[in-house]
């Protein structure tokens, strides 16, 4: 027999299927991991198919050395998913397969814990057992009674009944002793109080529509605090009752103990958790519990979409608009596409939930491709907190050039004095910044793309990330002539320093990338704030979601504009989402909340809609703008990124590929909206030079053009140059 094997080679350019002969006496099935000779090495690989004959000379084929696991780890479904991912995202087979198993399995590093386990032998009936055990052997009879409810680990039983009792029963053959793997269950010790509520009519309706409708995908649009989590949990319960399984995805940052506790409480050990806080061993065990069907629900971040579950009845993507669902480093993939593939493959359902759905998803819902399910009201009778907008240009005119507006400072003082808490939010994304006039709020934009320019300090230029055009730095505002141009950004550290001066003795916590390099630090800081060890929390994106702080009555957004003018066609959308989310941190209990938003562009439509929590109004306006400017979802941005240490080689590869793409464009009537080859905005990262070909094409040609682009990439493979393809990338740097 012949095995088709994908060998786990680290060389980034090999993506072939190799034939191996299965030696007599070895059984290998589709989906098994195997050890094979490769060159002069022994490498691991995956058997993705078997055949009676090979197209090659079988005499020359090598033999499989061994099968690596006692179980098959890649299902038929995952093999199909692998093919889908290769075609859709231009990934190598092996890069897909690596995503499907815990990293620790590679290189044989897994150690399974095993313990002795005993259970009643099914050979004997109650009657027979009575005859075999003397009536005076009370302990033996008691143990039999206990084991009728199910097996138990030997050590546990011995402790209670003593070794003699156990041995007596083993000798008679009444109980069997076996080895059984012990799974490390993270969060086993979580306090599991079931908190079951009765669904409201709209929640019930949402569950019915998600599971009962004729569409595979539903968009659950529900304002913050509308009880979406209950909807998910109830839908999952129903799916389990039908004997199916479920996948619940949340952004990594929302995987708080609180969230995990809710699921543990409702589903006890039937739920497995996959997140970055787990040890390698725990991760493997959770994966294995899913593979064997011991756990039928997985809760996790992005990568949990690859959980080895069979017969998936429901996949939930909570906070579907979150950028973390798109993997931006190799292997690059989009979680929603994968989830949809799995839902369709299994005849299951996919639900995308959000208070601020992405423009793309909401448009699909409007067009009827997704079922639109709404939860328009908060569960609690308190409304959303009031949002006030502070004009920072006005502050400047009045002589205040500090970080805080006078109004925010006054409100902070009130909050601190009344013993309540405040959160101050700083908007930070990556390393980029823009040029802005502090007097009139003018922002430098690209003439051709209507996208904010990004300031690059390396060469002191402003660059458009969408067309590559470069502009000189501004020294004076072209609108009002002011020389007060701002490039820099205020850091969290400076904010804390200012606060310490203003409020000596008041506890202040800071949370950003620097203070949370250790994983536990994130939870420690949130825990300390919740315990009221500090009155003010200063932070970045990280504090935007998740936790409930009942005593927070004030939220300040210090520089909302940072994401508004981020060089990204989605920057208005991101800002709207951020403001809505951050605002949701205030006034969550009985106390009324206030949100103060500081901006240099107080009349911008994003703030107008965000202030009123008017998602639909915002969607209408933004959707229209995208249509007019020809940005996604009305077009598709394709970016082919080439990197390598030899500048000339990468450049030549980019040039050659560009010629082929241009030829294809001319041949094929449907003109691209944009096509250009250029150095990447960030020209070099870690010794690697970077070039890119950027394309914008009409949406309807997406599949056709991507296929062709992948073919062109394959044709132009160059030694020493890595090529990545991205569809609508989150970041263009
Ligand atoms: P969302 O995810 O939509 O922001 P949550 O699921 O966090 O909202 O729900 C908000 C709060 O309302 C939670 O404290 C939750 O326990 C509570 N809740 C949800 N559904 C109900 C219900 N049917 N009855 C009572 N309380 C509910
Ligand atoms: Zn100006
Ligand atoms: Zn441009």
């Amino acid at each position: 027999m012949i095995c088709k094997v994908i060998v786990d080679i680290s060389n980034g350019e090999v993506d072939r299927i190799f034939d191996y002969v299965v030696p007599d006496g070895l059984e290998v099935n589709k989906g098994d991991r195997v050890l094979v000779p490769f060159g002069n090495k022994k490498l691991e690989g995956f058997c993705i198919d078997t055949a009676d004959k090979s197209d090659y000379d079988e005499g020359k084929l090598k033999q499989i050395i061994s099968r690596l696991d006692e179980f098959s780890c890649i299902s038929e479904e995952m093999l199909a998913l692998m093919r889908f991912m290769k075609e859709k995202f231009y990934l190598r087979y092996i890069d897909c397969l690596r995503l499907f198993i815990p990293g620790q399995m590679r290189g044989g590093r897994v150690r399974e814990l095993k313990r002795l386990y005993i259970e009643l032998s099914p050979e004997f009936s109650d009657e027979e057992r009575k005859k075999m055990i003397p009536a005076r052997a009370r302990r033996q009879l008691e143990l039999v009674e206990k084991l009728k409810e199910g097996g138990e680990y030997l050590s546990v039983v011995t402790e209670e009944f003593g070794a003699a009792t156990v041995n007596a029963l083993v000798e008679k053959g009444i109980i069997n002793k076996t080895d059984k793997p012990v799974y490390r269950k993270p969060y086993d010790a979580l306090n599991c109080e079931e908190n079951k509520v009765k669904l409201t009519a709209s929640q019930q309706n949402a569950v019915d529509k998600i599971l009962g409708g004729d569409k595979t995908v539903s968009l659950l649009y529900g304002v913050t605090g509308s009880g979406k989590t209950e909807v998910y949990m109830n839908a999952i319960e129903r799916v389990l009752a039908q004997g199916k399984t479920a996948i619940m995805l949340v952004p990594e940052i929302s995987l708080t103990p609180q969230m995990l506790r809710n699921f543990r409480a409702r589903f006890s050990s039937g739920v497995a958790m996959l997140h970055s806080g787990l040890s390698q061993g725990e991760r493997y065990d959770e994966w294995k519990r899913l593979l064997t069907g011991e756990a039928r629900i997985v809760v996790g971040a992005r990568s949990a979409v690859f959980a080895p579950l069979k017969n998936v009845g429901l996949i939930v993507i909570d906070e579907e608009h979150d950028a973390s669902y798109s993997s931006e480093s190799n292997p690059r993939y989009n979680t929603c596409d994968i989830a949809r593939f799995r839902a369709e493959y299994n005849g299951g359902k996919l639900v995308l939930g959000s208070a601020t759905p992405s423009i793309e998803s909401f448009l699909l819902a409007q067009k009827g491709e997704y079922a639109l399910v709404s939860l328009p009201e908060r569960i609690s009778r308190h409304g959303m907190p009031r949002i006030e907008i502070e004009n920072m240009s006005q502050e400047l005119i009045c002589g205040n050039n500090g970080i805080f507006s006078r109004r925010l400072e006054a409100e902070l003082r009130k909050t601190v004095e009344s013993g309540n808490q405040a959160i101050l939010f700083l908007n930070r994304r990556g390393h980029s910044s823009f040029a802005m006039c502090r007097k009139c709020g003018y922002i430098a934009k690209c003439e051709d793309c209507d996208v904010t320019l990004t300031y690059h300090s390396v060469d002191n230029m402003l660059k458009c990330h969408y067309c590559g055009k470069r502009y000189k730095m501004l020294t004076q505002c072209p609108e009002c002539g002011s020389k007060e141009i701002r490039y820099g950004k205020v850091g969290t550290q400076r904010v804390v320093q200012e606060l310490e001066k203003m409020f000596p003795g008041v506890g202040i916590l800071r949370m950003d990338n620097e203070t949370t390099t250790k994983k536990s630090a994130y939870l420690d800081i949130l825990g300390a704030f919740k315990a009221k060890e500090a009155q003010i929390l200063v932070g970045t994106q990280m504090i935007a979601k998740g936790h409930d702080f009942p005593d927070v009555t004030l939220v300040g957004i210090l520089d909302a504009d940072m994401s508004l003018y981020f060089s990204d066609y989605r920057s208005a959308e991101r800002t709207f989402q951020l403001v809505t989310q951050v605002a949701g941190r205030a006034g969550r209990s009985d106390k009324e909340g206030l949100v103060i938003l500081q901006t240099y562009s107080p009349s911008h439509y994003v703030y107008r809609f965000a202030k009123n929590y008017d998602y639909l109004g915002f969607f209408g306006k933004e959707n229209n703008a995208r249509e007019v400017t020809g940005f996604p979802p009305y077009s598709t941005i394709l970016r082919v990124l080439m990197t390598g240490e030899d500048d000339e080689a990468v450049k030549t590869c980019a040039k050659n590929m560009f010629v082929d793409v241009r030829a294809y464009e001319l041949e094929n009537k449907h003109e691209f909206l944009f096509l250009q080859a250029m150095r990447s905005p960030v020209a070099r990262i870690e010794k690697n030079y970077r070039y890119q070909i950027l394309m914008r094409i009409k949406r309807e040609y997406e599949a056709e053009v991507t296929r062709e682009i992948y073919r062109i990439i394959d044709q132009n493979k160059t030694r020493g140059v890595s090529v990545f393809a991205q569809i609508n990338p989150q970041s263009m740097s």
Side-chain angles (χ1 to χ4, degrees):
M1 198 177 67
I2 301 297
C3 245
K4 308 261 173 203
V5 176
I6 291 171
V7 183
D8 199 340
I9 315 172
S10 38
N11 183 335
E13 280 138 51
V14 180
D15 190 26
R16 270 186 50 200
I17 300 167
F18 295 92
D19 283 10
Y20 283 91
V21 174
V22 183
D24 290 337
L26 188 66
E27 196 191 312
V28 178
N29 293 308
K30 221 186 213 186
D32 291 355
R33 284 196 319 141
V34 290
L35 194 66
V36 295
F38 193 83
N40 50 12
K41 283 191 270 190
K42 286 179 188 172
L43 291 180
E44 293 177 3
F46 295 84
C47 166
I48 63 155
D49 210 353
T50 56
D52 294 332
K53 284 176 106 45
S54 172
D55 296 336
Y56 301 95
D57 179 357
E58 285 184 32
K60 288 190 183 147
L61 292 181
K62 293 187 188 160
Q63 289 197 342
I64 289 197
I65 299 167
S66 63
R67 191 175 166 225
L68 283 168
D69 315 293
E70 291 161 15
F71 50 87
S72 175
C73 55
I74 310 286
S75 66
E76 197 77 50
E77 177 192 354
M78 297 313 269
L79 288 174
L81 177 61
M82 171 189 80
R83 294 195 181 90
F84 168 77
M85 288 173 73
K86 182 184 174 67
E87 186 164 317
K88 174 102 192 169
F89 305 115
Y90 187 66
L91 295 177
R92 293 192 307 152
Y93 288 127
I94 190 63
D95 289 328
C96 302
L97 291 167
R98 283 175 184 168
L99 288 170
F100 300 168
I101 62 167
Q104 202 203 16
M105 278 176 81
R106 296 171 56 215
R109 281 166 294 147
V110 164
R111 236 160 272 124
E112 222 168 27
L113 291 177
K114 282 196 174 164
R115 279 166 70 191
L116 287 174
Y117 186 84
I118 59 171
E119 52 199 336
L120 284 182
S121 159
E123 252 177 80
F124 304 108
S125 68
D126 254 1
E127 285 301 302
E128 286 168 312
R129 275 193 290 256
K130 260 192 198 135
K131 284 180 207 147
M132 293 162 78
I133 305 172
R136 64 190 152 76
R138 255 193 25 245
R139 296 297 279 162
Q140 291 182 31
L141 292 170
E142 278 168 23
L143 178 52
V144 167
E145 279 309 306
K146 180 186 165 74
L147 290 176
K148 276 186 191 166
E149 286 158 26
E152 182 53 278
Y153 288 107
L154 179 64
S155 56
V156 177
V157 175
T158 311
E159 199 167 292
E160 192 179 340
F161 293 89
T165 310
V166 178
N167 286 340
L169 290 176
V170 172
E171 269 162 37
K172 289 175 194 146
I174 292 176
I175 57 181
N176 290 335
K177 228 175 9 180
T178 48
D179 259 345
K180 197 174 162 117
V182 185
Y183 297 124
R184 290 149 278 210
K185 275 186 216 151
Y187 294 102
D188 220 12
L190 283 181
N191 172 16
C192 295
E193 291 247 317
E194 172 66 292
N195 169 30
K196 199 143 189 189
V197 297
K198 192 174 180 317
L199 291 193
T200 63
S202 23
Q203 283 173 319
Q204 191 57 57
N205 175 47
V207 176
D208 292 343
K209 269 171 100 175
I210 288 164
L211 294 180
D214 54 350
K215 300 265 168 30
T216 297
V217 189
S218 306
L219 177 65
L220 178 62
Y221 160 54
V223 299
T224 56
S226 59
K228 293 189 285 298
T229 314
E230 275 303 327
V231 170
Y232 303 146
M233 290 202 286
N234 274 271
I236 290 173
E237 272 178 341
R238 274 220 228 154
V239 163
L240 291 188
Q242 295 163 5
K244 298 180 186 169
T245 63
I247 300 175
M248 169 89 202
L249 303 177
V250 296
E252 177 76 43
I253 212 130
S254 321
L255 279 166
T256 56
Q258 175 69 41
M259 152 95 202
L260 300 178
R261 207 174 281 139
N262 282 343
F263 270 82
R264 246 300 126 71
R266 183 73 54 93
F267 301 108
S268 76
S269 64
V271 54
M273 320 259 177
L274 291 176
H275 56 93
S276 62
L278 300 186
S279 72
Q280 289 273 344
E282 287 172 335
R283 185 173 279 273
Y284 172 77
D285 287 354
E286 291 291 75
W287 180 84
K288 191 74 189 294
R289 292 204 304 126
L290 291 162
L291 184 79
T292 58
E294 189 191 315
R296 292 199 292 144
I297 311 165
V298 62
V299 178
R302 179 173 79 206
S303 62
V305 76
F306 302 114
L309 286 166
K310 295 189 184 76
N311 197 7
V312 178
L314 180 69
I315 304 178
V316 176
I317 302 185
D318 190 30
E319 311 274 7
E320 67 89 28
H321 61 272
D322 197 275
S324 72
Y325 287 119
S326 173
S327 165
E328 292 280 282
S329 59
N330 199 34
R332 296 172 161 85
Y333 62 86
N334 180 329
T335 311
C336 183
D337 290 328
I338 304 223
R340 187 163 183 178
F341 176 91
R342 294 197 71 178
E344 276 166 2
Y345 186 96
N346 289 289
K349 300 285 185 188
L350 169 62
V351 46
L352 311 173
S354 177
T356 51
S358 65
I359 299 294
E360 162 127 40
S361 297
F362 203 83
L363 184 65
L364 287 172
Q366 250 188 2
K367 285 183 175 164
E369 171 133 3
Y370 297 169
L372 181 62
V373 183
S374 304
L375 291 175
E377 267 145 38
R378 276 201 147 179
I379 295 274
S380 100
R381 62 208 141 71
H382 305 283
M384 307 294 289
R386 188 158 46 94
I387 301 180
E388 280 181 18
I389 293 174
E390 278 296 305
N391 182 351
M392 294 306 278
S393 306
Q394 193 57 41
E395 292 289 306
L396 195 68
I397 290 166
C398 297
N400 172 16
N401 62 0
I403 305 172
F404 307 106
S405 61
R406 289 159 298 170
R407 172 102 169 99
L408 179 56
E409 188 177 336
E411 284 298 330
L412 265 173
R413 204 165 287 284
K414 254 202 248 166
T415 306
V416 167
E417 278 163 11
S418 63
N420 288 317
Q421 289 179 304
I423 291 181
L424 294 180
F425 177 80
L426 258 144
N427 211 339
R428 270 298 152 283
R429 282 192 69 197
H431 49 267
S432 77
S433 60
F434 53 91
M436 180 188 71
C437 169
R438 292 188 65 182
K439 208 155 212 167
C440 72
Y442 166 85
I443 299 285
K445 285 190 167 190
C446 175
E447 290 164 1
D448 300 333
C449 306
D450 196 30
V451 166
T452 306
L453 299 172
T454 300
Y455 172 58
H456 287 254
S457 54
V458 190
D459 42 7
N460 203 33
M461 296 285 263
L462 292 167
K463 293 181 194 171
C464 171
H465 284 187
Y466 286 86
C467 73
K469 211 161 173 175
R470 297 146 67 90
Y471 298 80
K472 278 221 188 73
M473 282 294 299
L474 293 180
T475 48
Q476 200 172 24
C477 172
E479 295 281 320
C480 75
S482 157
K483 291 201 166 115
E484 290 242 31
I485 309 285
R486 177 179 149 189
Y487 299 99
K489 44 191 184 184
V490 178
T492 42
Q493 214 165 350
R494 243 205 71 207
V495 175
V496 171
Q497 281 166 4
E498 293 281 312
L499 287 169
E500 280 167 349
K501 269 188 256 160
M502 279 158 62
F503 304 108
V506 170
I508 298 162
L509 285 167
R510 170 162 80 103
M511 181 142 98
D512 54 28
N513 282 329
E514 272 170 46
T515 58
T516 54
T517 42
K518 273 218 332 256
K519 232 159 242 144
S520 57
Y522 166 70
L523 293 175
D524 290 346
I525 296 172
L526 290 175
F529 191 59
K530 187 142 191 170
K532 298 201 77 173
E533 285 167 32
Q535 277 190 284
I536 306 175
L537 174 63
V538 179
T540 54
Q541 258 74 351
M542 290 180 174
I543 56 174
K545 22 189 145 163
H547 273 252
D548 248 343
F549 301 108
D551 290 319
V552 169
T553 51
L554 176 67
V555 167
I557 305 176
L558 297 184
D559 51 357
D561 305 343
M562 277 309 283
S563 69
L564 187 55
Y565 296 117
F566 189 74
S567 168
D568 184 336
Y569 68 91
R570 273 172 294 224
S571 46
E573 179 181 353
R574 294 260 183 265
T575 308
F576 184 87
Q577 288 161 352
L578 213 59
V579 172
T580 310
Q581 241 163 24
V582 177
R585 299 303 107 215
R588 289 182 67 100
S589 62
D590 300 336
K591 299 176 181 173
E592 208 180 332
L594 173 66
V595 179
I596 293 180
L597 186 156
Q598 302 191 155
T599 169
Y600 288 92
S601 314
S603 53
H604 197 288
Y605 69 90
V606 166
Y607 300 138
R608 241 179 29 237
F609 290 119
K611 184 176 151 67
N612 300 321
Y613 297 97
D614 182 5
Y615 174 78
L616 293 179
F618 171 73
F619 170 80
K621 170 106 185 155
E622 182 64 18
N623 182 43
N624 194 36
R626 299 276 181 90
E627 188 166 16
V628 170
T629 53
F631 271 98
Y634 292 92
S635 67
T636 298
I637 296 175
L638 276 172
R639 184 197 198 204
V640 179
L641 186 65
M642 284 140 284
T643 71
E645 293 194 12
D646 179 355
D647 193 14
E648 272 311 307
V650 186
K651 196 173 173 177
T652 310
C653 176
K655 267 189 187 157
N656 294 341
M657 222 175 310
F658 178 74
V659 170
D660 290 353
V661 177
R662 173 68 84 198
Y664 166 71
E665 182 199 11
L666 295 177
E667 224 169 82
N668 273 276
K669 314 286 182 286
H670 41 256
E671 218 177 303
F672 290 13
L673 302 172
F674 181 85
L675 168 62
Q676 206 161 306
M678 64 190 95
R679 252 186 214 282
S680 295
V682 180
R684 198 169 172 222
I685 295 181
E686 289 170 355
K687 288 194 190 150
N688 282 299
Y689 291 91
R690 306 165 87 236
Y691 287 82
Q692 64 187 23
I693 298 176
L694 264 187
M695 290 156 264
R696 217 155 9 106
I697 54 177
K698 291 214 178 102
R699 182 65 177 250
E700 59 261 40
Y701 304 129
E702 180 183 308
E704 186 186 332
V705 177
T706 7
R707 216 175 307 121
E708 186 59 24
I709 298 299
Y710 292 159
R711 202 187 54 74
I712 293 174
I713 295 176
D714 275 335
Q715 268 177 3
N716 287 282
K717 278 221 167 105
T718 312
R719 202 171 260 284
V721 181
S722 307
V723 185
F724 305 104
Q726 293 173 302
I727 302 172
N728 296 333
Q730 298 286 335
S731 147
M732 296 282 283
S733 55

